[in-house]
Amino acid sequence: MCIHILASNLFTSAVLQARKFCRHFLCFGSSSHSLNRLSTMGCCGSSEQKQREWKPLEDRSCTDIPWLIIFALFCTGMACIAGFSISTGAASRLISGYDSYGNTCGQKNGKIEGVELSGRDQTDNKYVFFLDPCNIDILNRKIKSMALCVSRCPDRELKTYTDVKKFALQNGSELCSYDIPVSRYPSHGERSKKCPKLPVPPSKSLPVFHRCTPVDISCYAQFAEAFVTFVSDNSMLHRVIAGVMASKEIIMGLCVLALVLSIILMVVIRYISVVLVWMLTALVVLGSLGGTGVLWWLYVDHRMNLTDQTGTTPTPQQQLATGNVQALLVYAVIATVFTVILLLLLFFMRKRVALTITLFHVAGKVFTHLPLLALQPFWTFLSLMLFWVSWLGVFLFLGTTGSPVQSEETGLVEFRMSGPLQYMVWYHAVGLIWISQFILACQQMTVAGAVVTYYFTRNKSQLPMTPIVSSMLRLTRYHLGTVAKGSFIITLVEIPRLILTYIHNQLKGKENACARCMLKACICCLWCLKKCLTYLNQNAYTATAINSTSFCTSACDAFVILVENALRVATINTVGDFVLFLGKVLIVSCTAFVGVLSLNYQRDYTVWVLPLLIVCLFSWLVAHCFLSVFEIVVDVLFLCFAVDTKHNDGSPGREFYMDKALMEFVENSKKMAGRDRAEAGGDSREMKPMTHGEGTGPGQVETVVR
C-alpha cells in the first residue's frame, strides 16, 4: 500500500511539474488557455481549429477502430497458435504422454528416421512410466529419466529385478526398455540403464495426464526442499493436512464472511469515512510529534551522559557513544523538518481533505444505486481465470510441439521447435500480458461508464434499469479499440520490466554490486512508469465514457484535468488510499478474530497457523478486489466532478450535474472564499470567484487574483 501511495505521489509530482511547465513556458497566452489548447492536441501534435466542448453521454461513436482491428488480428494469431499445437499432435502428446523413443502412448505411431524403437503400436500401453521418477531437473522443470509406455503402473514396491520380471509376466506391463526381453530382466548387462531404478516405488496414474507418479511424496523431497524443511517431519505434515481437512467448513465460512464484510464496507464507508479520515490525520500528527519529541529527548539524554564523562581518556565505548549522539542529532533534525512540512501540508490541504470525504460519501451512494457494481470483481476474476487456464493449456501444448530430435548425449527423443516456429512461445507470452491487461481495462471502462451514467443523469429515476449492463454494451459496441490501445501501452512497459526481472533473477550472485543496483533501479523505474500510466489510462477511459473520444484525445483531456487539480489528486491518492488500506486491515482483522473464536471450539485440533493464514490471505485478496472497485469509483467521480465544475457554474442553462453532497461542498467552498475576499477588502486588488469563463479550471470553488 505504501508503494502504491509512493507511485501516486510520483505521478502527482510529475503532474505538478507539467502544470508549472504549461503555465510558464507554453506561449499560448494565459495558463488556462494554454491547457485548453493542449487538451485539443492529438497524439501526433495536430490541433483542432475550434475548442471542442464536453457533451456528456450525447454524441456516442466508435473510437480507435484501427486498434480494434490490430487486437482482433493479434487474437487471431493466438488462436492459430492454439490450433497449430493441437493439429500437430501436441495436445495428444501432452495428455497421453510419449516415451523416450518418440512413441505416443495409447495409439499407433509412425516411424522416426534414425530411431530404432520408434513407430511402435502402443494402443494397449496407455501410461507413461519413468525409470527414475525422483530424478528431477529443477532448473529445466523436467524429469531426467528414460520414459516408457506401459499397460499398468506398478501398484506395489518392487525391490529386485526378479520382482520386476514377475510383475511383467503377471500383468503384461514391461517396465524395462523394449529391446530387453522379460526373461532377461535379472541378468541383462544394461539393466542398470534400461530398467527402473531399484527399489521401484508404488505409483498411480494421474486422473487426466496418464503418468505413473509415485504415491510417496517424499520422492520429490529435492523438488519440495523448502516445504519439507518447513514441516521437518511427516507427523507435522499429517497434522497440518488433517487440521485443514477437519476445519474446511470453518475456512469456507470465514471466506464467505470476508466476502460479505467487503460488500458491507463498500456501502457503509460513506458513514464512517469522516471518522476514518480525521482519525488518520490525528494519528499521523501525534505520531510525527511524538516521534520527533522522543528523538530530541534521546539526543539530550545521551549528550548529557557524554558530557559527564569528558575529561577522561576517550575509550572505544565513548567514541561509539559520540557517534550515536551525532546520529541522534541528524535523525532529530530530519524528523523535525519532516514534521514541520507535514503540518504545513495538512494545514493548507485541510479543505481538500473535505473533498475526499465527500467523494467517499457519494461513492457509497453509487453502490446503493448500482448494486451490480459489487459483482464486477467476480466477472473480472472469472474472465481472467478462464483465459489463464486456456493460455496455460496452449503453453503446455507448445512444450510438446515440434519435430522429434534425438539427443546426442542420451540418445533419447525430444520434441523441439526450430526456425520461425520457436518464436511462437514469445508471441504467446506477449498475449498473456496484453489480453490480461485488456480484461482489466474492460473492468475499468465498464465501471467508469456506469458511474458516468449515474453522475451525468440529473433525474436518478431515469437511470437505465441496469447501468452496468448498459455500460458493457456501450463498451462492446463503441470502445473496445480504446481499451485495446490503452492495454497495449501498459504491455509495452510491462514486457521490458519482466525481462529485466528475469535477467536479475538469473544473474543473482553472479553480477557485481553496481550492475545489480542498476538493474533494480531500472526495474523500479519501469514499475513506477507502469503505475503512472495505469492511473492515466483509467482517467482516459473515464473521459472516453463521458465524451466518446479516442484514447489519445481522452488521455490529453484527462491529463489537463489532473494538472489543474494536482493538489486534489495528491490528497485523494494519499488520504483515500490509506483509508481504503485501513478498510482492508479491518476486514482481515475481523475475519481473523472470528476465525480464532471458531477454531477455539475445535478442541481436537490445536495447530491454527495454516487455516488462519489461508483465511487471512483470502480475506485480504477479496477486500483488495472489492475496494479496488471502490477506488475506481472514487477516481471516476472526481474526474466527473472536475469536468462538471469546469464547464458549469450553476447558472440557468449551465446547471451542475453533481450530487447534493458535492453541491454542498461547492457552496461551502464559495462561502469560505467569500469570507476570504471580505477579509481582504482593504486590498487594492479585486478578487473574484473563478466561476465564469470556459477556460477556467475547477477553481470555481476557490479564488483568483485579477
Coordinates of all heavy atoms in Angstrom, one line a residue, residues 99 101 103 116-118 120 122 131 146 148 174-185 188-191 193-195 412:
D99 N 7.0 -41.8 -24.9 CA 8.2 -42.4 -24.4 C 9.4 -41.7 -24.9 O 9.4 -40.8 -25.7 CB 8.2 -43.9 -24.6 CG 8.2 -44.2 -26.1 OD1 8.5 -43.3 -26.9 OD2 7.9 -45.4 -26.5
Y101 N 11.4 -42.7 -27.0 CA 11.7 -43.1 -28.4 C 10.7 -42.4 -29.4 O 10.7 -42.7 -30.6 CB 11.6 -44.6 -28.6 CG 12.6 -45.3 -27.7 CD1 12.0 -46.1 -26.6 CD2 13.9 -45.3 -27.9 CE1 12.9 -46.8 -25.8 CE2 14.8 -46.0 -27.0 CZ 14.3 -46.7 -26.0 OH 15.1 -47.4 -25.1
N103 N 7.4 -42.4 -29.3 CA 6.1 -43.0 -29.4 C 5.1 -42.4 -28.5 O 5.3 -42.3 -27.3 CB 6.2 -44.5 -29.1 CG 7.2 -45.2 -30.1 OD1 7.0 -45.2 -31.3 ND2 8.2 -45.8 -29.5
E116 N 15.5 -46.5 -33.7 CA 15.2 -47.9 -33.9 C 13.9 -48.3 -33.3 O 13.1 -49.0 -33.9 CB 16.4 -48.7 -33.4 CG 16.2 -50.2 -33.7 CD 17.3 -51.1 -33.2 OE1 18.3 -50.4 -32.7 OE2 17.3 -52.3 -33.2
L117 N 13.7 -47.9 -32.1 CA 12.5 -48.4 -31.3 C 11.3 -47.5 -31.5 O 10.3 -47.6 -30.7 CB 12.8 -48.5 -29.8 CG 13.9 -49.5 -29.5 CD1 14.3 -49.5 -28.0 CD2 13.5 -50.9 -30.0
S118 N 11.3 -46.6 -32.5 CA 10.1 -45.8 -32.8 C 9.1 -46.5 -33.7 O 9.4 -47.6 -34.2 CB 10.6 -44.4 -33.4 OG 11.2 -44.7 -34.6
R120 N 6.2 -47.8 -32.9 CA 5.6 -49.0 -32.2 C 4.1 -48.7 -32.0 O 3.6 -47.6 -31.9 CB 6.2 -49.3 -30.9 CG 7.7 -49.6 -31.0 CD 8.3 -49.8 -29.6 NE 7.7 -50.9 -28.9 CZ 8.1 -52.1 -28.9 NH1 9.2 -52.5 -29.7 NH2 7.5 -53.1 -28.2
Q122 N 1.3 -48.6 -29.6 CA 1.2 -48.5 -28.2 C -0.3 -48.4 -27.8 O -0.6 -47.8 -26.7 CB 2.0 -47.3 -27.7 CG 3.4 -47.3 -28.0 CD 4.2 -48.3 -27.2 OE1 3.7 -49.1 -26.5 NE2 5.6 -48.2 -27.3
L131 N 11.7 -44.5 -15.5 CA 12.6 -45.4 -14.8 C 13.1 -44.9 -13.5 O 13.4 -45.6 -12.6 CB 13.7 -45.8 -15.8 CG 13.3 -46.4 -17.1 CD1 14.6 -46.9 -17.8 CD2 12.3 -47.6 -16.9
M146 N 14.6 -42.0 -18.4 CA 14.0 -42.6 -19.6 C 12.5 -42.9 -19.3 O 12.2 -43.3 -18.2 CB 14.7 -43.9 -19.9 CG 14.1 -44.7 -21.1 SD 15.0 -46.3 -21.4 CE 16.5 -45.7 -22.1
L148 N 8.9 -44.9 -20.6 CA 8.4 -46.0 -21.4 C 6.8 -46.0 -21.4 O 6.3 -45.4 -20.4 CB 8.9 -47.3 -20.9 CG 10.4 -47.5 -20.9 CD1 10.7 -48.8 -20.2 CD2 10.9 -47.5 -22.3
E174 N 5.6 -54.3 -19.2 CA 7.0 -54.4 -19.2 C 7.6 -53.0 -18.8 O 7.4 -52.0 -19.4 CB 7.5 -54.7 -20.6 CG 6.9 -56.0 -21.2 CD 7.3 -56.4 -22.6 OE1 8.1 -55.6 -23.1 OE2 6.8 -57.4 -23.1
L175 N 8.4 -53.1 -17.7 CA 9.0 -51.9 -17.1 C 10.4 -51.6 -17.5 O 11.0 -50.6 -17.1 CB 8.9 -52.0 -15.6 CG 7.5 -52.2 -15.0 CD1 7.6 -52.2 -13.4 CD2 6.5 -51.2 -15.4
C176 N 11.0 -52.5 -18.4 CA 12.3 -52.2 -18.9 C 12.2 -51.9 -20.4 O 11.1 -52.0 -21.0 CB 13.2 -53.5 -18.8 SG 13.6 -53.8 -17.1
S177 N 13.3 -51.4 -21.0 CA 13.3 -51.0 -22.4 C 12.7 -52.1 -23.3 O 12.9 -53.3 -23.0 CB 14.7 -50.5 -22.8 OG 14.7 -50.1 -24.1
Y178 N 12.2 -51.6 -24.4 CA 11.5 -52.6 -25.3 C 12.5 -53.6 -25.9 O 12.0 -54.7 -26.3 CB 10.8 -51.8 -26.5 CG 9.9 -50.7 -26.0 CD1 10.0 -49.4 -26.6 CD2 9.0 -50.8 -25.0 CE1 9.2 -48.4 -26.2 CE2 8.2 -49.8 -24.5 CZ 8.3 -48.5 -25.2 OH 7.5 -47.5 -24.8
D179 N 13.8 -53.3 -26.0 CA 14.7 -54.2 -26.6 C 15.3 -55.2 -25.6 O 16.2 -56.0 -26.0 CB 15.9 -53.4 -27.3 CG 16.6 -52.5 -26.3 OD1 16.0 -52.3 -25.1 OD2 17.7 -52.0 -26.6
I180 N 14.8 -55.3 -24.4 CA 15.2 -56.3 -23.4 C 14.0 -57.2 -23.2 O 13.0 -56.8 -22.7 CB 15.6 -55.6 -22.1 CG1 16.8 -54.6 -22.3 CG2 16.0 -56.6 -21.1 CD1 17.2 -53.9 -21.0
P181 N 14.2 -58.5 -23.5 CA 13.2 -59.5 -23.2 C 12.9 -59.6 -21.7 O 13.8 -59.4 -20.9 CB 13.8 -60.8 -23.8 CG 14.9 -60.4 -24.7 CD 15.4 -59.1 -24.1
V182 N 11.7 -59.9 -21.4 CA 11.3 -60.0 -20.0 C 12.1 -61.1 -19.3 O 12.5 -60.9 -18.1 CB 9.8 -60.4 -19.9 CG1 9.3 -60.6 -18.4 CG2 8.9 -59.2 -20.5
S183 N 12.4 -62.2 -19.9 CA 13.1 -63.3 -19.3 C 14.5 -62.9 -18.9 O 15.1 -63.5 -18.0 CB 13.2 -64.5 -20.2 OG 13.8 -64.1 -21.5
R184 N 15.1 -61.8 -19.5 CA 16.5 -61.4 -19.2 C 16.6 -60.2 -18.3 O 17.6 -59.6 -18.1 CB 17.2 -61.1 -20.5 CG 17.3 -62.3 -21.5 CD 18.2 -62.0 -22.6 NE 19.6 -61.6 -22.1 CZ 20.6 -61.1 -22.9 NH1 20.3 -60.9 -24.2 NH2 21.7 -60.8 -22.4
Y185 N 15.4 -59.8 -17.7 CA 15.5 -58.7 -16.7 C 16.5 -58.9 -15.6 O 17.3 -58.0 -15.4 CB 14.1 -58.5 -16.1 CG 13.1 -57.7 -17.0 CD1 13.5 -57.4 -18.3 CD2 11.8 -57.4 -16.5 CE1 12.6 -56.7 -19.1 CE2 10.9 -56.7 -17.4 CZ 11.3 -56.4 -18.6 OH 10.4 -55.7 -19.4
H188 N 20.4 -59.1 -17.6 CA 20.8 -58.3 -18.8 C 21.9 -57.4 -18.3 O 21.9 -56.8 -17.2 CB 19.7 -57.6 -19.4 CG 19.9 -57.1 -20.7 ND1 20.6 -55.9 -21.0 CD2 19.6 -57.6 -22.0 CE1 20.7 -55.7 -22.3 NE2 20.1 -56.7 -22.9
G189 N 22.9 -57.2 -19.2 CA 24.1 -56.3 -18.8 C 23.8 -54.9 -18.7 O 24.5 -54.1 -18.0
E190 N 22.7 -54.4 -19.4 CA 22.4 -53.0 -19.4 C 21.1 -52.7 -18.5 O 20.5 -51.7 -18.7 CB 22.1 -52.4 -20.8 CG 23.4 -52.5 -21.7 CD 23.1 -51.9 -23.1 OE1 22.0 -52.1 -23.6 OE2 23.9 -51.1 -23.6
R191 N 20.9 -53.6 -17.6 CA 19.6 -53.4 -16.8 C 19.7 -52.2 -15.9 O 18.7 -51.6 -15.6 CB 19.4 -54.7 -16.0 CG 20.5 -55.0 -15.0 CD 20.1 -56.2 -14.2 NE 21.1 -56.5 -13.1 CZ 22.2 -57.2 -13.3 NH1 22.5 -57.7 -14.5 NH2 23.0 -57.4 -12.3
K193 N 20.8 -49.3 -16.8 CA 20.4 -48.1 -17.6 C 19.1 -48.2 -18.2 O 18.4 -47.2 -18.3 CB 21.5 -47.9 -18.7 CG 22.9 -47.6 -18.3 CD 23.8 -47.5 -19.5 CE 25.2 -47.2 -19.0 NZ 26.2 -47.0 -20.2
K194 N 18.6 -49.4 -18.6 CA 17.4 -49.6 -19.3 C 16.3 -50.2 -18.5 O 15.2 -50.5 -19.0 CB 17.6 -50.4 -20.6 CG 18.6 -49.7 -21.6 CD 18.7 -50.5 -22.9 CE 19.5 -49.8 -23.9 NZ 19.6 -50.5 -25.2
C195 N 16.5 -50.4 -17.2 CA 15.5 -50.9 -16.3 C 15.3 -49.9 -15.2 O 16.2 -49.1 -14.9 CB 15.8 -52.3 -15.8 SG 15.7 -53.6 -17.0
L412 N 18.0 -40.2 -26.4 CA 16.5 -40.1 -26.2 C 15.9 -39.1 -27.2 O 16.6 -38.1 -27.6 CB 16.2 -39.8 -24.8 CG 16.8 -40.8 -23.7 CD1 16.4 -40.4 -22.3 CD2 16.5 -42.2 -24.0

